[in-house]
Amino acid sequence: MTFDEISGNEKIFEELKNAARCGQISHAYILEGAIDIHKEMIAKAFAKSILCKEHRGSGCNSCVICNKIEHGNHEDVFFLEKEENSIKDEDVVRLQDRLRNKPLGERNIAILKDADTMTLRAQNRLLKTLEEPPDGTVIMLLSENTESLIKTIVSRCIVVRLPSTESLEDDALRLLAETTAEALLAGRPFYELKKTLAAVLSDKKQALAFLDALEVFYGRKAVGNNETDRLYPKAYLYGQVGAIEETRRSLRGNGTVGYALKRFLLKSME
Ligand SMILES: [Zn+2]
């Protein structure tokens, strides 16, 4: 997705788009928000707006550059995420080595998912890069809890605060539904699904909104006729919609969110 396709946050996006359009891009940003895939979507949109040559400042979402960024295989866009529970010193060493290479295109961009899980040593190492970043480099730290980052890191970044789960935007919900549906269809393991749904697992209102979004997604697949729609057999879709109904009933009754959604996931995986 590009900024123009993500609704909400227009003011924030406008500033990022402007920066990309004029080339006045800071070397480091913190994207702070509760939902991992939402932050990642915005980081990718920003990377597209910086590197896309078709639509500088917004990204076109159809050129080779945008496509590679979307699929996480652009040569100049480096992703780093936690292994086990944290991003460790040696991960940041790897990042620094990578950023020393000149980009093939205009800039190197590093996207650190789970940046707030960096160990203190890792943070202090990253700080050196933030103090003297290689020319043209843009580093995006995706973080849920910026208080876990040392102040010297935060002060060297532009902090972009995204809406919290209470105001989960439609796009974020849609994306969450899509990701969950795809993960269920692909038979991804339970713990992974649970992690994806972490943002809605504690809040009944969000959970219901998520189920609505998931039902809309399945509804579209049922009437759609393109290649990806056909991956979803009709009988499967009806089964899923039934399971959504049941989960909704349980949530509107006395069911706890965690339990109801877990049951839904397990049923969907049968
Ligand atoms: Zn493009």
Side-chain angles (χ1 to χ4, degrees), residues 201 250 255-264:
L201 270 174
S250 150
T256 63
V257 180
Y259 179 72
L261 286 187
K262 264 179 228 165
R263 261 192 57 188
F264 169 73

Side-chain angles (χ1 to χ4, degrees), residues 71-201:
H71 294 106
N73 55 16
H74 191 286
E75 296 82 354
D76 297 335
V77 182
F78 183 75
F79 287 87
L80 188 64
E81 59 191 311
K82 67 180 174 189
E83 277 176 43
E84 288 159 16
N85 295 319
S86 57
I87 293 180
K88 298 179 181 66
D89 194 37
E90 58 262 33
D91 300 322
V92 179
V93 172
R94 206 151 45 85
L95 172 74
Q96 288 173 328
D97 285 345
R98 174 65 184 69
L99 292 179
R100 260 179 228 116
N101 296 338
K102 288 254 173 305
L104 292 177
E106 294 170 48
R107 289 169 183 275
N108 277 322
I109 295 180
I111 298 174
L112 276 78
K113 306 183 201 176
D114 325 300
D116 48 356
T117 68
M118 266 189 291
T119 61
L120 191 57
R121 256 186 91 188
Q123 293 196 37
N124 278 310
R125 186 175 293 279
L126 182 71
L127 185 60
K128 296 199 187 90
T129 305
L130 294 177
E131 282 165 348
E132 285 175 53
D135 256 357
T137 300
V138 182
I139 298 173
M140 302 182 200
L141 305 178
L142 313 192
S143 143
E144 181 171 349
N145 181 11
T146 302
E147 276 167 26
S148 309
L149 295 170
I150 54 177
K151 287 203 175 63
T152 35
I153 284 195
V154 179
S155 69
R156 281 181 175 77
C157 300
I158 291 184
V159 181
V160 179
R161 289 206 170 78
L162 302 167
S164 67
T165 43
E166 285 88 68
S167 54
L168 199 61
E169 303 279 331
D170 285 353
D171 276 317
L173 270 176
R174 209 175 63 208
L175 195 69
L176 191 63
E178 190 179 322
T179 310
T180 306
E182 280 168 3
L184 282 171
L185 192 73
R188 307 300 306 166
F190 179 68
Y191 71 87
E192 209 178 281
L193 284 153
K194 232 180 92 189
K195 195 179 160 256
T196 308
L197 286 180
V200 295
L201 270 174

Side-chain angles (χ1 to χ4, degrees), residues 52-54 59-63 65-66:
C52 174
K53 291 182 175 148
E54 302 296 322
C60 72
N61 223 23
S62 54
C63 71
I65 291 174
C66 287

